[in-house]
Amino acid sequence: MDTEGTYDARGTGAERVPRPAGPPPAAPPPPTYAPQPRRPAADGPGVEEWLRTPRPVREPGVWRYGHVPRPPEKPEGVSDRSLLVGVLISVLSGLLLWSLWRNGYIPYRLVPLKLFTPGDWWYAGTFGGPRTIEGADALTVYEAVLFGLLVYGCGRLGNWSEIFRRHVAGRGQPFLGLATAAGGALAELLVWKDAVPLVRPVLILVASVAGGEIYQSQTVVNVIYALIALGVLWPFARLGHWRELVAARRGRAAAVPDAPAGPPDAPTPEQWPELREAGMRDAAEALTAEVRTGRMNDVDVARLRHAWSVGRGQPERLAALTEAVLRTGGAAALHPSGARDLARRTVRHDLLTGQVRIGSCTDDPHNPYARRGSGVALEPALLGTSLLAVGPPGAGKSARLVRPVVESLALQALAGRAAVLAVGGAGGELGPDDAFDVVVRIGDPASVHDFDLYGGTTDPDEAAGVLAEGLVGDVTHLDSRRAATVLAQLLGPYRAVHGHFPGVPALRELLDGDTAAIDALREALGAGGHQSMLRELEARTRQKGGAGDPGPVLADRIALLDRPAFAPFFATGDQARPFSLRSLEHLPLRVRIDLPERAHAEASRLLTRLVLAQFTAVTAARTDRSLFVCLVLDDATHAVTAETVRGIRRLRSVNAGALLTLRTVDDVPEGLHTALLGAVGCCMAFSGVTTWDGKRFAEVWGKEWVETREVAQHAVFADQPFTRALHGLRKLVTGKAVTRDAVTVRRVERERWSASELAYQVPPGHAVLSVTTVEGEHAPPLLVTLDG
């Protein structure tokens, strides 16, 4: 296997990869470096574009790849109907006032003008009109000024600016440019038809400033007319952004960068700036060429970046990595399996952030405004706090949650950043066989891997404690510590004699108290001089059959595994090569365990408990915690015990996590409901949960302060006869009594999601998800469409 010195430097070479029982197969030849086009996804962008796509830092659970924040929420404004009615009323009112003005129905209309002009320009009296030409010209300018004020006042009264922003400017270009052009043409028509007093007032003002002789030149008149026409079009051009529209049409629009541009020679992401800064310019040039020619995919990029970050403080590893890059390009530092990608992807992944997209937030009042429509993703920072998903069969837990997460962790394992252990029923939806390095099919004779009941440990007490959790952890009236003591009293002596722990048949005989097996073990201990272990065995012999002896229960449980279908499995000794969970300590393995749920349901539950107990014990004891390790249980029914809940709570501190799915919370002992929901940082309630399960999630998610509006209608009583008559007429016409609304606004504390809402208002294909990061940052429960 071609590790290029990346994984071997940890002391985790190829010899640590679990082998099947029997002679190990020959090591595969080093992968041939054959350049071929690769893409981050089947329908996604190229690697170069994928690297350049921004990934802004957002709240936990947001799909960061290409994320665009939602525009700020606009306050509730006037409705479109009210705006249109206001515009119509303002226009009609303006026309009425202008008509009354022009026809002289408004008294004292010329008084302000006469106060500022000579008296000999006007006839005597309040209603006297202009006597001279100067008075007529002053009246023309005066009317033009009043007309402008009238238009301005009607525009403010009718809120013309809001309707323009909402229905014209809001539709963008080219509609904005066409609408303003049509408005400008209409304004020009009204001006030159003298319906709008503009041309004559301008000519009068120019003559009063420059003298009337200026109009003797036709050229000057034409220039003035052109300036008037341009002055009328100018505000429409500003409103319609005509210059930008014309420039964009001609391809000369200047792009405004969202962020300050760096120096001209600053390397872009596909040019590997971190390698250039470290002086590895040749390696950076080689990888840049690989990216631009399409000979690398997103897994290669993530793997090499991880290898660089891991070996940054070790010069010898950096030298080996540089040499491998110059020799094989993007095929350097390969995964021990030699794979560079999965054969098939079902969802979208972003390996730079480690996210997998599982859906999007719906436009629902329960979701914050800023999160509506944004993508929802999971990543190791969230899975490190563990995730509990609850939903009935057929809700989509396996296909829409478990499969995407397992696929994401498998890709990250190929990048050297994670290890995944997926456990589910045979024939499940955890992924094809070629997506895993190890596939353990318990109960299938064709399986090439066995399973180690003792988790790869050599300590009898540790092996007894883990095995006791798997065998009797769900028995409420039995203390698992006493069961562990009984197992230790048998496992220790047996290992002292044989050098390994007993297989299932031998352990069953010892737990049953078989006289021949006990005597043979006693004689072997005496002959070997193992006096301390002999005392352990004698103590077990004396305690057998006593009150509260867990031996019979342990024997009955181990008998579930002593079946003909499991005969080739769980073997021990020198010839056995079972798979051990301790292989996940350092190697980025992809492991799947298939359980015989249909034919051996109780045995499958026992093994699920055992795997969960072994996982929590192994991850807590490992010393190198740079690799994220995740356990995915497709069905954790009757697998959770008090000890494993404590182990799940410790996972976030050892860079590990677990994903557990349940059909109902009642699949866990009632005394562990609160402890389990408190141990996990991420909770997910699928469509179809019961109100009992919904109540537990509602308690976990708590309450929030909301503002409520209560409207009460009170009858209006009239005291005057005329008012009572009007109220009676209104009731006769509308059929309703005259009332008035009393609005009360209060702040109250309500549940984020109530039990009934979770049970009856979550549509099919949806789920309510809350997430928490390892650092403690959290997001509220969100209604998610599972369309990842």
Side-chain angles (χ1 to χ4, degrees), residues 23 27 53 201 286 375 408 411 480 495 568 726 759:
T53 302
S408 174
L411 288 172
S480 60
R495 178 175 176 78
L726 290 178

Side-chain angles (χ1 to χ4, degrees), residues 399-464:
R400 301 186 181 187
L401 175 64
V402 174
R403 175 68 181 272
V405 170
V406 171
E407 189 175 287
S408 174
L409 293 172
L411 288 172
Q412 294 184 55
L414 293 179
R417 302 188 304 194
V420 57
L421 172 61
V423 182
E429 301 180 357
L430 298 180
D433 292 352
D434 57 6
F436 297 92
D437 303 311
V438 176
V439 178
V440 182
R441 298 184 179 91
I442 298 178
D444 186 354
S447 177
V448 295
H449 288 280
D450 301 339
F451 181 73
D452 188 354
L453 291 178
Y454 305 100
T457 183
T458 58
D459 184 358
D461 293 326
E462 182 181 352

Side-chain angles (χ1 to χ4, degrees), residues 283-619:
E285 292 291 346
L287 293 177
T288 301
E290 295 281 297
V291 170
R292 291 180 174 175
T293 55
R295 295 197 293 259
M296 289 182 67
N297 63 0
D298 54 346
V299 178
D300 297 331
V301 174
R303 185 184 67 252
L304 291 174
R305 285 195 171 191
H306 177 71
W308 156 253
S309 63
V310 170
R312 191 158 40 187
Q314 304 178 22
E316 66 281 359
R317 295 189 63 179
L318 284 183
L321 179 62
T322 303
E323 190 274 332
V325 168
L326 294 177
R327 179 165 50 90
T328 60
L334 280 181
H335 184 265
S337 66
R340 298 174 65 178
D341 201 353
L342 298 180
R344 178 174 178 267
R345 302 187 187 185
T346 59
V347 291
R348 297 180 61 188
H349 303 271
D350 183 26
L351 290 178
L352 284 189
T353 58
Q355 290 186 319
V356 52
R357 192 180 190 277
I358 63 172
S360 59
C361 291
T362 63
D363 190 2
D364 187 85
H366 287 92
N367 294 340
Y369 174 82
R371 293 298 304 271
R372 298 174 190 175
S374 63
V376 177
L378 296 176
E379 57 185 303
L382 303 178
L383 295 175
T385 63
S386 299
L387 190 153
L388 176 65
V390 178
K397 301 187 299 298
S398 298
R400 301 186 181 187
L401 175 64
V402 174
R403 175 68 181 272
V405 170
V406 171
E407 189 175 287
S408 174
L409 293 172
L411 288 172
Q412 294 184 55
L414 293 179
R417 302 188 304 194
V420 57
L421 172 61
V423 182
E429 301 180 357
L430 298 180
D433 292 352
D434 57 6
F436 297 92
D437 303 311
V438 176
V439 178
V440 182
R441 298 184 179 91
I442 298 178
D444 186 354
S447 177
V448 295
H449 288 280
D450 301 339
F451 181 73
D452 188 354
L453 291 178
Y454 305 100
T457 183
T458 58
D459 184 358
D461 293 326
E462 182 181 352
V466 174
L467 186 58
E469 282 296 319
L471 293 178
V472 296
D474 61 330
V475 181
T476 57
H477 65 275
L478 182 62
D479 188 357
S480 60
R481 290 174 296 182
R482 294 191 60 189
T485 301
V486 171
L487 288 172
Q489 290 171 343
L490 297 175
L491 296 181
Y494 190 94
R495 178 175 176 78
V497 172
H498 300 280
H500 58 81
F501 292 124
V504 170
L507 181 58
R508 181 183 180 183
E509 291 178 352
L510 294 175
L511 290 172
D512 282 333
D514 183 77
T515 304
I518 295 294
D519 292 342
L521 183 58
R522 182 183 294 110
E523 293 177 2
L525 289 172
H530 303 288
Q531 297 301 322
S532 60
M533 291 300 173
L534 184 59
R535 288 194 299 271
E536 288 285 299
L537 182 62
E538 294 298 340
R540 173 60 200 146
T541 304
R542 292 192 302 270
Q543 295 170 2
K544 177 187 174 184
D549 180 21
V553 180
L554 290 170
D556 291 342
R557 288 300 179 88
I558 202 66
L560 295 174
L561 302 181
D562 190 17
R563 307 295 302 162
F566 302 140
F569 293 87
F570 318 127
T572 59
D574 296 335
Q575 301 300 322
R577 297 290 298 275
F579 168 74
S580 171
L581 265 63
R582 292 194 178 273
S583 303
L584 300 173
E585 289 186 354
H586 305 291
L587 287 176
L589 289 178
R590 303 166 294 165
V591 183
R592 192 187 78 201
I593 299 179
D594 294 342
L595 301 176
E597 291 183 342
R598 297 182 180 178
H600 304 277
E602 285 297 327
S604 298
R605 293 174 181 175
L606 186 153
L607 291 171
T608 303
R609 284 194 302 272
L610 183 58
V611 169
L612 180 57
Q614 287 186 6
F615 180 82
T616 56
V618 167
T619 53

Side-chain angles (χ1 to χ4, degrees), residues 212-223:
E213 296 80 4
I214 194 174
Y215 294 123
Q216 293 179 0
S217 173
Q218 186 62 36
T219 302
V220 174
V221 174
N222 293 337
V223 170

